[in-house]
Amino acid sequence: MSTSTTPLAATDAAVSLTGKDLHLAFGDNKVLQGVDIQVDAGTTTTVIGPSGSGKSTLLRVLNRLHEPQQGDILIDGRSVLGDNPDELRRRIGMVFQQFNLFPHKTVAQNVALAPQKLRGLSKDEAYALALEQLDAVGLKHKADVRPSTLSGGQQQRVAIARALAMRPQIMFFDEATSALDPELVKGVLSLMAELSKEGMTMVVVTHEMGYARDVSDNVLFMDEGKVVETGTPEKLFNAAESERLQTFLSQVL
Ligand code: ADP
Ligand code: MG
């Protein structure tokens, strides 16, 4: 829950993200079997599906932590597979279930580190940016404490601030609230909703169906490495066509 009016991100130049016919196998295990995903500029796509269906792998292929064995990845319609993968990863911010903050650094240092190392900001500039970004997630007052003194929800908001401090054009969230105590989930989800509303291009893997229904422009249901159904939240949640999605929803709703 951000209490400040500072924007979370610079979303004025939102980009689109396209994955086309993406394939990836680990040995015999065909984890992605021709996945298509279209995330229009400034929109949020939520990926749902049972455990093991390939959701996390899809995110890792889309930012080329794993190279797709077939298919293409495009930003604003241009293939990025010929570029340096590091360049793509800098354009995409990632927030995981585990926040992985450095325990021996302060909250502000955690946020300032990557901009200093990778964006060439001076120590003072990076610290000022960290304060601004922490202010945007409502945690400026925690800048100089260690992460362990924060709640899980606050730590995840720091992790979001850390990702945003790199000025990403796209944000990925992989079950960002799954490790949180139930009472802390809402603060992180509302921050994600705020970012979505600002017009960030986002791909969100989540089990929070309420969030998926309220915030997504599109929902993608995956099972066994394939997109079984995709469309607006209204369509998927109110008029699921496939039996697999109907069964999945009956289990999670
Ligand atoms: P989800 O996020 O939907 O739960 P994952 O993408 O994590 O699914 O996993 C899909 C499948 O890919 C699983 O069978 C998993 O064991 C396999 N897998 C994921 N990452 C690796 C890896 N690095 N090496 C081998 N197998 C993997
Ligand atoms: Mg996963």
Side-chain angles (χ1 to χ4, degrees), residues 52 55-57 174-175 205:
K55 305 179 299 294
S56 296
T57 304
D174 193 354
E175 297 196 25
V205 172

Side-chain angles (χ1 to χ4, degrees), residues 106-108 134 138-146 149-150 154:
T106 66
V107 164
L134 286 168
L139 288 172
K140 193 178 176 183
H141 60 295
K142 297 291 186 185
D144 299 317
V145 304
R146 295 278 164 87
T149 65
L150 305 183
Q154 289 173 327

Side-chain angles (χ1 to χ4, degrees), residues 52-100:
S53 57
K55 305 179 299 294
S56 296
T57 304
L58 174 63
L59 293 185
R60 287 198 292 267
V61 165
L62 285 170
N63 76 1
R64 295 178 69 198
L65 285 169
H66 296 304
E67 289 292 346
Q69 290 158 342
Q70 191 181 314
D72 203 356
I73 300 162
L74 306 97
I75 290 186
D76 277 347
R78 188 185 72 83
S79 174
V80 294
L81 288 182
D83 300 349
N84 182 338
D86 289 339
E87 199 178 305
L88 178 67
R89 273 172 229 140
R90 276 184 212 178
R91 299 171 77 176
I92 302 177
M94 260 202 109
V95 176
F96 306 91
Q97 187 173 331
Q98 301 302 338
F99 340 118
N100 297 324

Side-chain angles (χ1 to χ4, degrees), residues 155-227:
Q155 290 188 51
Q156 191 59 299
R157 281 151 62 197
V158 173
I160 294 171
R162 177 179 58 180
L164 292 173
M166 285 300 288
R167 295 281 181 262
Q169 295 176 308
I170 300 167
M171 284 287 289
F172 287 175
F173 292 86
D174 193 354
E175 297 196 25
T177 59
S178 295
L180 300 177
D181 291 335
E183 73 274 17
L184 303 176
V185 167
K186 216 175 134 194
V188 172
L189 288 181
S190 58
L191 192 56
M192 291 163 62
E194 200 181 316
L195 191 57
S196 182
K197 219 161 139 197
E198 276 185 19
M200 174 62 79
T201 305
M202 298 181 20
V203 184
V204 179
V205 172
T206 187
H207 292 299
E208 296 287 339
M209 294 302 141
Y211 175 89
R213 198 194 294 250
D214 295 344
V215 175
S216 320
D217 297 287
N218 271 297
V219 181
L220 208 128
F221 170 63
M222 282 184 73
D223 195 15
E224 297 180 352
K226 290 183 182 146
V227 177

